Amino acid sequence: WLNKKSSFLVFISQENLRRAQSCPLGSSSSKTHVIPDCLDFEHLILNAQNQSPPVKTLCIGSVSNFKEQKQPFALLSLFKRISLLYPSAQFILAGDGAGITACRIYTEKLGLSNVHFPGILKDMKKFYSRLALYISASRFEGLSMSELECLYLKIPMVIPFRGGITDIMKQGEQGFFYPLQ
């Protein structure tokens, strides 16, 4: 009912629009608009001009709100497997949420001492400047701000094929998609 009464329907990605069109939203194409999430490009440009030295240590990071949708336990299991191949690798899992304590316990259970949980970050420039790779395990995402920032800052990513990022990132150019299970 609300969609029929609305003047416009705004989506943050083509993928979200396609998903909505597959449901009975009752919208016409003249009512739909795609407006990607807003990025603070001015802030990113200023930060990019003051780039830190190149990454010397293999540092892999992600941002999560530590809930089931983000699959932080799968990410930690992946970090364990990477650690076996690259023992000096460092991992940063930024963010906060109800599941962070369980993730810290799981990290100890896996025997990982190279995973850092810095919490909510105020200085994203420092976070991104350390990364050699960004990994996400999120099951669904409209258009992840951290993935957009990685695209802009040319940080390679390994992320699920889902959400609005599929509209703007090409497989193999700045990273790789993997299929959701």
Side-chain angles (χ1 to χ4, degrees):
W1 176 84
L2 185 59
N3 289 335
K4 290 178 182 176
K5 298 288 184 190
S6 298
S7 299
F8 300 101
L9 297 177
V10 178
F11 299 90
I12 63 169
S13 69
Q14 290 293 331
E15 188 273 338
N16 287 146
L17 172 60
R18 283 189 295 275
R19 190 173 344 144
Q21 288 172 333
S22 71
C23 301
L25 285 178
S27 65
S28 67
S29 60
S30 63
K31 286 180 59 171
T32 59
H33 299 277
V34 176
I35 302 173
D37 252 342
C38 297
L39 272 178
D40 185 356
F41 282 108
E42 183 178 331
H43 177 73
L44 286 173
I45 290 168
L46 289 174
N47 283 340
Q49 290 171 348
N50 296 321
Q51 285 290 332
S52 298
V55 177
K56 293 185 173 126
T57 303
L58 176 59
C59 185
I60 299 172
S62 193
V63 177
S64 180
N65 61 6
F66 295 93
K67 61 183 182 181
E68 200 266 329
Q69 166 202 333
K70 302 290 186 177
Q71 300 192 91
F73 296 105
L75 206 50
L76 290 166
S77 295
L78 177 62
F79 289 171
K80 175 66 175 184
R81 290 172 47 200
I82 294 170
S83 290
L84 296 173
L85 296 170
Y86 302 95
S88 65
Q90 296 292 308
F91 304 94
I92 305 172
L93 195 46
D96 203 0
I100 193 166
T101 301
C103 286
R104 290 177 194 265
I105 292 168
Y106 187 64
T107 302
E108 288 178 21
K109 180 181 173 187
L110 292 174
L112 290 170
S113 60
N114 54 350
V115 177
H116 308 282
F117 295 92
I120 296 172
L121 300 175
K122 294 190 188 312
D123 186 358
M124 292 304 289
K125 177 187 183 282
K126 184 176 179 183
F127 170 72
Y128 288 126
S129 70
R130 295 182 63 194
L131 297 187
L133 180 67
Y134 181 90
I135 298 178
S136 172
S138 182
R139 284 195 180 105
F140 44 89
E141 201 74 54
L143 190 57
S144 165
M145 185 62 69
S146 56
E147 291 170 8
L148 285 173
E149 291 167 342
C150 286
L151 275 176
Y152 182 80
L153 296 169
K154 297 180 177 32
I155 298 168
M157 294 184 284
V158 176
I159 57 177
F161 188 82
R162 49 84 187 115
I165 197 71
T166 61
D167 292 348
I168 53 179
M169 185 175 117
K170 304 280 187 272
Q171 175 79 338
E173 287 186 15
Q174 190 169 348
F176 296 92
F177 292 112
Y178 62 90
L180 282 173
Q181 297 174 342

